[in-house]
Structures are given as C-alpha cells and as structure tokens.
Amino acid sequence: MSRAIHEFHSPLTLLREWRDRSDGARLREVLITGFTHDLVFLERHCVPTARALGVRVTVLGDAGQAVHEPVDVRYAGRTYQHGHAACAGAFHPKLVVLVGDEDVWAAIGSGNPTWSGWGHNQELWLVLRTSMRQGPAAQRDLAAWLVDLPEVVAMPTWIADAVVRVGGYVAPDEVDDSLPDLRIFGNLRQPILSRLSTGPVDALRVSSPFFDPRGAALRALVDRFSPDALDVALQPTLSQYDAAALARVAATVPTAGFRLLDESRTYHGKLVEWAVDGTTTALVGSANCTAAALLSTTSAGGNCELVAVAPVLDSLLPEGTAATTIPPSQAHASATQPRHAVKLVLLGARRQEQNLIVELTTTAHEPVTIESSRDGTPGTWTAFHVWRPTGETSATLRFPAPEQLGGAVRAWVEVSGERVVSSAVYLTDPVRCLPREDEQDRPRLVRDYELDKTITDPALAARFNADLLRLLSQVPQRPPTGASALRTQPSAVEVASSEDRWGAWLHHVEGMLGPSLTGLVFPSSPRLPDGTVTRWTVGADPDDTELADGEDEDVVDTEIEPDSAHQTIPPSEHRKLRTWATRWVKAVSRPARPPLELRMTVALLYLDLLAAGVWGTEESWRTEVRDLVHALLPDEDEMDSLPGRTISYQCSLTAVCLALLFQDASPHGGGERDIIAKAAWAAARESVAFADRRLAVDYLHRAVQAHARVVSESEVDEIIHLAEAVVDDPRAEVRAAFAQAGLPARLVDGVWVVDGEFRNPRRTAAHAATVAGKQSAVLARNAGRAALVLRDNATLYFAESTAPRWRVYRLSPLGTPLSLLGNPEGLPPAVSQHPLDAAPPQASQLADRLEVDLTQLVAGVRTVS
C-alpha cells in the first residue's frame, strides 16, 4: 500500500528501517542528490550500511558545493559512485531513493547530504513508500523527472546511466488511484509556480531560509494565490531576506504577519502552504522562496529543484513568535555570480580498459590541465594531460591512463594570470560499485587468496589446492559474457552501457576468484590505484618436518639466497606442488572444460610455479604446458560471447606458454621436446597472432631462484611475430624455418629453390625438403649439378642431374628426407625407378596439387647436367 507522510526526517532513518525489516527484503539501489554534499559524512554514516545490504550507492551533488576535503575521502569511486552535476543555476534537489526488488521508498525534502542537513538542521521531508508493481501517479512523475534529469543537467555519463536506471525502477507497472492529490515535479522545463493552483485562497503560509533580495518569488506567490491572509516564518539572523521587500509584499495582503523562529537550530525546511475551505495543501522540497527556484526553469538558466505537493491534516508551518514587523537580516546574501568569469567543472573521471575518461564543462578557451593525486593531499597533485578547448562547452576526454595515476582528479586553467581550479572528482570504477549479486550458491573460492602468502604457507596452500579443485569440478562451462553475469530484472546487477561489458565480466570473475587472483590473471585490467603483488622464490625451508609424502631431503633443490623483495616457497613443498599442478591441468583439460577464466587461472598458477623453480631439472612440465595451451584455446561459443579484452588476455598468456615450450626445442627437429612444442604451436599459432605484447609482458617473471623456468620479452615477441607472419602469409613459418636452418630458399612458382655454392645439391635438397614440410617441391642447384625432391608425406620422388631418372622412396615413421638422402656414401635402394621424361603418375598428381610445372622442373634438372 502506498503511503506518503510529511515529517522532519533523516534519510539515514529510512536506510536503517530497511536494514531492520523483518521480511529481509533486498535493497538494490540508493540514489542521493543534494546541493552541498559531504562525502566524508556519507562514508561514515550511510555508505557502510548501504553496501552491507549489497546496494549500489550513487551520489550526485552540485559541482561547486562539496564541503569535504579530497584528502579525507577514502572510498569514492571504489565502493560508491560520486559525480558532479552542473547547470546554469544551482543543482539543488534533495532526494533519496531506495529501490528494492518490490518496494520503492523516496524522500523528497530540504536536507543536503551533510552533517547539518541530515543531522543538526531542522528539515522538512515528504517520504513516499510504495511498490514497483502498483503506485500513485506521483510515483510515475518522479520516475519521469529522473529519466529527464540527465537531458537537462550535465553529469558524468555513468552517473546518468544510474539515474535513468533508477527512474526506470521507480516507474510503477500500474498507476492506481492511491494518493490522488500527491504531486511530485521539478522545474526542468516548466516553472514550479506555473504548476500550482490559483487563488483566491483563505491563507498563504511560507517558510524559507532564503528569500529573493527584492522579494520577487513571494510577490509572485501572493499574486497567484490572492490570499486573504499571509503568514511568513523565518529566523531573524539565520535566514537571508530583504526585510523591506518582504514588508512591501505583506502590505498588499489584507491580513499579514511574520513568525520569528527560534535560532537554537537552523530551520532549513522549505514550505509553501495554502488553505481553502478548511483544506490545507503543502509544497515541500528543495525550492527556496526565490525567483531562481520558483519562477524559472533549469533549461532557461534557473536552479534545478524538486518538490512535492499534497494535502496535510495540520499546518506544517513551524511555531514561532508572532511579529508585525521583522528586523533587518543580519545574514549576507549569497553571491549570485561565480567568483571567476570562467567556468570550469569537472563532472567525473573513470578508468576504461587502458584509458582514462574525464568529462567536464568549461567556458575557458585557454589550455586546461588535468592532474591527479593519490589521496588529495596538498602538494601531491601531478599534471598528466593538457586539453585545448575547441569552442565546445562540454567535452569527454579519452586518453591513455598515465602509469602514475592517483585516485583524485581535478582540472585547472589559467586565465589572465589567475588560476581557476575545479572541484576534485574521484577515479571511478562503476562496475565495482554495482549491487552485490544474488547468486549466493554460485561456486566460488571461499576466500580471497593472496597467492604469495598462500603458496608459501603449507597449511594455507593445502586449503587453496582443495578449494581450487572443488571450484574446477563444480563450475560448468557457460557462455561467460558480461551480460550473462548480470540480471535483467529491476533487482539486477546490470550495466547500462555496452562499453562496460568487459568491466562487468571482470566483476563477475572477481566474485568467483577474489580480487587477488583476478588481478594476477588479468594483471593490466582497469583497477583503481592499490597495492602491488609480490612474487615468491626458493629459500630456506622454515620447517624441516614439512616434507611431502614420499619425499626426502636428497631431492631438495639447491638453495640460493632469497631476494628480500620476494616471499619463499619451502623446497620440501616442491613435489607436493607439482602433484597439485598436475591435477589442476587434468581438471581444465577434460572434455567438459570449466570456463576460460578458470583455465587461465590454472595456466597462470603453473607459470608462476615454474618460475619458482618447483620442477627443478625435471622436464615433465613440457607435456602439461602443452595441454594447457590446448586448454586455453576458446571454442566458438566463447569467441562469440566473451568480451574481446578477455580473448586478448588469453592470446597473450598462450604466447608466453608457447615461448616457454620452445626453449631448448626446435620447430623443425624430431626430438621429444621438438614434437611437444610443435604440437602446441600447430594448435595455437593463429591465436597467438592476436596476442597483445603489452599484456604478455605482465605474465613474465624474473629468474631469481634456482631452476627457474622463465621466458624473456624478446622470446615472447619472437613467437608473436612469427605467428603474425604466418597469419599474413601461410608460408612464413617455412621461410622462418629456412632462415633458421641457414638455407637461402626462394619460392618460385610453387617450388622452393635453393641456389648456392654448396658441393652436394642432393643433401641440400633433402635438407630443404625436411624443412619445407610434408607436401612440398624442392630444387637445389649449384654451378654444375641439381637435385629435385617432390614430397607427399612419407613418399619421396627424387631426381638429380647426375643420374637423370626418377627414384621413388618411402620414409620410415621416424625418418626424414635428410636422414634418407643425406648419406654421403650414396643413394639408398629405391622402391622403384622411372625415366626422367616419364614421371610416376602419383608424382604428376602431386605436382598438380602443388600447382608446379613438372615439365619445367625436369627441364631445369637436365639443363644443369
């Protein structure tokens, strides 16, 4: 049932009431707007309670009216999102909206989100409690105002998204006839005064802490209502007014009087109240009795206000001492003009991918400098970008985020020798501020594991291993898009803009893995400034009794002096860690694979353990890294559904794995290491071609311990370069192999031709055929002789100028053209021989498949002879 009541009320009470509800109803959104705003106050008294309920908190205040110091703000941008609003007048609405799965509570009043507004001052609020499903027309009107607000008032786009989304939640599915006389509206496009009824009325009562210097708004109210009696309440010294102007307005009403209010507390409530035939109607909200609030519109340069109008049983005008005259005001009127002729408003700043987005409005034509500070401490602001306005008053700046980027951001411009500095904003991660997800039973690690501390603590490492294996077995593969992790109902964690898809997906991954592991698997992901992650190394075993099952001290690796900046893995734990790593690899290599983020996590853990020297001199890791390369490859569903940034990380991590496998291995050899590396390469080379070198570097380690297996940046770069070349030119891999083998081969009409001063063309041709692959044609020539090899997998068709005939050979399973034909003692027995002018039919068919001219090749062999 919808209810609306007038009361002196703090929105903090609403939040605590929701927390203490017996039905345990979920809270999704809290939207707070105000003129002056104190983030330190909100962080202490509001944000912790709201976030404990799992809610997203959005705070929007006037850009020039922050009453906090940046150095005192701790959680803006990380726990809740804050932005500045800017319009020609003051951004003045005082509104708090609480949105749950079913309920909407809204407080519309006079109190700013500060110690005074929500604590000490006497404020006036109208509190509406209603439902999303069914509610009064005023609820629909509030929703429409919220949706329209970003169209008229400048604010950060991500804050605008949140405001519009809350507006969508507030709108009831069905408008009922409850509270038919309640109205909620602002002055975005229509003056507040024009929305009010007209007189004559029996009485008009007004209370406001601010009146026009000339009493214009009060005069307009009197003209509209034509009251028989006027009653004005104010505080003699705390209110701001022109006594003579108010007296002149009062003189036009048959009966007029003033109430002088007690000044022990500031009376900040705004009230316009009129009575007709015993019925009293009250207007409450943010609007003072000024022309900028009541007589103008936001779009035309007035304030931005929000008010509610409803009948009341008893007058809301505060009690005071009756007076026929009022003393002159002792308060100074507020300045109506900005201090500087130039306007510079920083609306907000956020990280997106590797970029920084800063949104601002300005009338300056001079260069604007953007600077940041880690915590807003005076003297710590560092400039990192200069923007030159091009005539537009509003701008969205997007540029690479500097390496040293603090959490507070501001701007300044120098005009005629005077510096104009904006209010500070706070680097925001909108996804991190989203409401908590409901999937309490969704598989996840039971805690946030800081890997350096976890792996170096045997007991904690055992818990981590069990926890990870449990997670790997419980999480089925799913299409892990940013959208799939979000709910689409009003109670959902949802991101309004598609550009946040990566951040939303990462937010979901963090819910599964925890912040620490997520930061290691996605090391350059957009996060706000925080601490660094340490690595571990081999060092002295702190507990000689902690040996793995079946391990003795004879197999303990040689110890080296630990780096003071690193943690240590006890050598006695190595065998146990190798066993765990094998289980992890098997878990991600099974046919029903876990999601890509978990497969990447296992690959990252494996690389870190290799860098810590856990395998010593053993080579068993090669087959497991090969299996990890296969496991890392996304399937078609993942390619379609995952954010592109995720695939970039996967490709980069795969490149590091391949570079590791090719250490001490050749892409053209036949040894065990070579075969393992080539199998991984064949599967992943197309993926590696799309690796991001900058991301790959973040997966590299320094070799600071014995038996460390690490790769260098140049090794990774070489793998990526080769993969890129293969994608652009399918024969690039063969060209690279020829270069590595020292063979100056050229591709001429589909034939690999090797010309040189070598003495034995037969051996050179055999070597070239071995490198060229299983379907190839090779011609090797020196000044006097030539040799030709056509290869069709295990079948070789060989001819040379010294013996002009075709010889047909079959390779053994482990044989190569070089091992067969490279013997200096002579040719082995052929399976069959044929005249040079009558090639075997199979050789002619192979030539056709290779698109080479066999007749021309034969002529080339004869010409040399």
Side-chain angles (χ1 to χ4, degrees):
M1 178 178 178
S2 301
R3 292 184 297 124
I5 57 174
H6 291 282
E7 50 190 320
F8 294 100
H9 198 101
S10 168
L12 293 176
T13 306
L14 285 182
L15 188 61
R16 291 164 186 156
E17 284 181 11
W18 195 298
R19 179 195 61 191
D20 298 335
R21 290 176 61 161
S22 59
D23 59 2
R26 178 67 190 274
L27 185 60
R28 304 292 181 177
E29 300 274 358
V30 170
L31 172 64
I32 300 169
T33 71
F35 178 56
T36 57
H37 53 287
D38 186 348
L39 297 186
V40 176
F41 165 74
L42 292 175
E43 287 184 356
R44 181 173 298 181
H45 295 283
C46 176
V47 173
T49 301
R51 289 299 283 179
L53 293 171
V55 71
R56 172 169 67 173
V57 179
T58 302
V59 181
L60 183 64
D62 188 282
Q65 299 299 322
V67 298
H68 51 261
E69 293 294 334
V71 68
D72 296 323
V73 177
R74 291 288 179 267
Y75 307 110
R78 298 194 301 273
T79 301
Y80 65 98
Q81 52 185 17
H82 161 258
H84 287 150
C87 53
F91 180 74
H92 207 245
K94 286 78 170 169
L95 171 69
V96 177
V97 181
L98 279 64
V99 176
D101 288 337
E102 298 288 339
D103 299 326
V104 173
W105 293 0
I108 301 157
S110 60
N112 289 300
T114 64
W115 295 90
S116 297
W118 285 16
H120 181 267
N121 291 349
Q122 294 195 60
E123 307 286 357
L124 188 58
W125 295 90
L126 180 135
V127 177
L128 174 66
R129 291 179 172 88
T130 185
S131 165
M132 285 183 182
R133 310 307 172 195
Q134 191 176 54
Q139 182 181 346
R140 179 189 58 193
D141 296 339
L142 174 60
W145 182 84
L146 286 167
V147 171
D148 196 30
L149 182 63
E151 297 294 325
V152 181
V153 175
M155 63 186 70
T157 53
W158 53 95
I159 300 293
D161 288 342
V163 171
V164 170
R165 185 167 300 278
V166 170
Y169 296 162
V170 169
D173 296 338
E174 179 184 348
V175 175
D176 59 25
D177 58 358
S178 66
L179 307 175
D181 298 318
L182 173 64
R183 300 160 59 194
I184 297 174
F185 52 88
N187 67 329
L188 294 176
R189 304 179 191 274
Q190 184 177 350
I192 289 175
L193 186 69
S194 68
R195 303 287 299 271
L196 304 182
S197 61
T198 58
V201 300
D202 297 333
L204 174 65
R205 308 180 189 102
V206 179
S207 177
S208 174
F210 300 95
F211 290 84
D212 279 313
R214 295 181 179 86
L218 183 62
R219 181 177 298 278
L221 287 170
V222 169
D223 290 344
R224 188 170 186 86
F225 285 109
S226 301
D228 292 334
L230 172 66
D231 199 350
V232 179
L234 47 77
Q235 293 178 294
T237 61
L238 296 181
S239 298
Q240 295 184 11
Y241 57 89
D242 183 330
L246 298 188
R248 286 193 294 269
V249 174
T252 65
V253 180
T255 303
F258 297 94
R259 296 190 190 189
L260 303 183
L261 306 180
D262 177 77
E263 295 195 312
S264 58
R265 294 171 64 188
T266 299
Y267 185 87
H268 195 250
K270 293 97 163 102
L271 173 69
V272 177
E273 187 178 88
W274 57 96
V276 180
D277 298 331
T279 299
T280 300
T281 303
L283 178 149
V284 300
S286 65
N288 286 295
C289 192
T290 63
L294 294 178
L295 311 184
S296 184
T297 66
T298 309
S299 57
N303 292 349
C304 178
E305 307 284 357
L306 182 66
V307 298
V309 176
V312 293
L313 295 177
D314 300 305
S315 174
L316 300 178
L317 195 70
E319 296 293 333
T321 302
T324 56
T325 61
I326 54 174
S329 173
Q330 302 300 311
H332 297 287
S334 299
T336 58
Q337 297 295 325
R339 178 185 173 189
H340 304 284
V342 171
K343 179 180 179 181
L344 177 61
V345 175
L346 208 57
L347 300 174
R350 62 167 295 187
R351 283 286 293 268
Q352 188 179 84
E353 300 290 339
Q354 302 307 306
N355 295 326
L356 180 66
I357 298 174
V358 174
E359 297 183 7
L360 57 84
T361 65
T362 184
T363 58
H365 300 287
E366 294 78 6
V368 175
T369 299
I370 313 295
E371 58 186 11
S372 75
S373 167
R374 181 172 181 82
D375 56 8
T377 304
T380 63
W381 294 92
T382 303
F384 59 82
H385 185 75
V386 176
W387 171 66
R388 290 170 173 78
T390 57
E392 296 292 331
T393 57
S394 298
T396 297
L397 312 182
R398 182 189 299 266
F399 45 87
E403 291 186 6
Q404 301 298 323
L405 179 62
V409 180
R410 70 182 186 186
W412 61 268
V413 61
E414 188 168 310
V415 180
S416 301
E418 185 175 5
R419 178 177 289 194
V420 179
V421 183
S422 75
S423 297
V425 296
Y426 305 93
L427 193 61
T428 299
D429 182 347
V431 175
R432 188 175 293 276
C433 298
L434 286 170
R436 186 176 61 234
E437 296 184 51
D438 273 342
E439 303 169 75
Q440 298 299 327
D441 57 345
R442 178 168 62 92
R444 66 188 72 197
L445 294 176
V446 299
R447 58 172 292 176
D448 181 30
Y449 293 97
E450 295 184 30
L451 203 56
D452 56 333
K453 298 178 181 178
T454 298
I455 298 299
T456 56
D457 182 328
L460 187 56
R463 287 196 291 271
F464 170 69
N465 171 64
D467 200 8
L468 180 60
L469 287 174
R470 174 195 57 78
L471 183 63
L472 291 171
S473 66
Q474 289 181 349
V475 179
Q477 188 169 18
R478 50 160 176 75
T481 65
S484 70
L486 307 176
R487 295 173 293 278
T488 58
Q489 298 302 315
S491 60
V493 175
E494 188 172 354
V495 179
S497 174
S498 61
E499 66 185 12
D500 284 323
R501 184 165 171 254
W502 156 250
W505 182 84
L506 195 67
H507 178 73
H508 180 72
V509 172
E510 187 173 296
M512 180 189 298
L513 299 178
S516 298
L517 267 183
T518 302
L520 288 175
V521 180
F522 303 100
S524 294
S525 55
R527 295 188 306 278
L528 300 180
D530 53 12
T532 57
V533 177
T534 59
R535 299 287 184 183
W536 55 82
T537 184
V538 175
D541 190 345
D543 186 353
D544 292 336
T545 65
E546 292 288 338
L547 297 175
D549 293 341
E551 188 174 54
D552 57 52
E553 295 182 1
D554 293 336
V555 299
V556 174
D557 296 324
T558 304
E559 297 173 5
I560 64 174
E561 189 68 22
D563 188 314
S564 60
H566 290 65
Q567 303 296 319
T568 61
I569 293 181
S572 60
E573 295 294 306
H574 288 185
R575 177 175 293 178
K576 183 191 298 181
L577 289 170
R578 292 195 298 270
T579 300
W580 292 349
T582 298
R583 293 173 184 166
W584 302 341
V585 173
K586 290 181 179 178
V588 299
S589 301
R590 65 181 189 265
R593 303 188 300 176
L596 180 60
E597 59 266 29
L598 284 178
R599 285 141 45 203
M600 292 179 66
T601 299
V602 169
L604 183 279
L605 293 171
Y606 204 103
L607 291 180
D608 282 0
L609 292 178
L610 279 170
V614 168
W615 272 261
T617 58
E618 289 189 17
E619 294 261 317
S620 60
W621 60 268
R622 290 185 179 272
T623 56
E624 293 179 342
V625 172
R626 175 202 62 198
D627 293 343
L628 284 173
V629 168
H630 284 83
L632 285 174
L633 299 178
D635 57 32
E636 291 185 5
D637 289 341
E638 289 176 320
M639 290 294 291
D640 292 339
S641 60
L642 284 167
R645 186 74 173 165
T646 307
I647 302 300
S648 294
Y649 276 103
Q650 171 266 318
C651 294
S652 305
L653 182 58
T654 303
V656 175
C657 292
L658 277 177
L660 195 64
L661 286 174
F662 274 110
Q663 285 185 341
D664 305 321
S666 169
H668 317 295
E672 182 179 3
R673 296 174 179 173
D674 308 327
I675 293 172
I676 292 172
K678 287 193 291 185
W681 169 257
R685 59 189 177 189
E686 292 186 8
S687 181
V688 171
F690 296 96
D692 186 328
R693 290 170 171 81
R694 295 169 301 177
L695 297 182
V697 168
D698 288 329
Y699 291 122
L700 304 183
H701 298 73
R702 281 192 307 124
V704 295
Q705 58 277 330
H707 306 301
R709 275 288 177 179
V710 299
V711 294
S712 65
E713 186 174 347
S714 62
E715 288 175 309
V716 174
D717 192 69
E718 183 179 349
I719 285 289
I720 296 175
H721 178 75
L722 179 58
E724 291 172 337
V726 169
V727 169
D728 294 336
D729 176 9
R731 293 188 173 94
E733 188 176 355
V734 179
R735 298 182 198 278
F738 278 127
Q740 186 176 21
L743 294 171
R746 298 176 296 114
L747 189 64
V748 181
D749 296 330
V751 181
W752 292 105
V753 179
V754 185
D755 292 314
E757 298 179 357
F758 39 78
R759 297 178 59 187
N760 189 348
R762 180 196 305 162
R763 179 178 177 82
T764 300
H767 190 185
T770 300
V771 173
K774 296 181 178 181
Q775 299 276 332
S776 56
V778 172
L779 176 65
R781 303 178 299 196
N782 61 16
R785 290 184 293 167
L788 173 65
V789 178
L790 300 181
R791 182 179 180 184
D792 185 8
N793 294 310
T795 303
L796 300 184
Y797 304 96
F798 174 73
E800 60 183 346
S801 57
T802 56
R805 65 179 62 87
W806 286 103
R807 290 181 170 86
V808 181
Y809 295 98
R810 296 282 191 271
L811 294 175
S812 67
L814 297 179
T816 66
L818 181 59
S819 65
L820 179 71
L821 302 176
N823 192 336
E825 297 181 0
L827 290 169
V831 174
S832 63
Q833 297 189 33
H834 306 266
L836 191 59
D837 293 331
Q842 295 85 351
S844 298
Q845 294 169 6
L846 174 61
D848 291 341
R849 293 199 304 272
L850 296 175
E851 298 182 350
V852 301
D853 189 334
L854 191 58
T855 302
Q856 185 177 356
L857 283 177
V858 170
V861 172
R862 288 187 182 277
T863 300
V864 174
S865 61

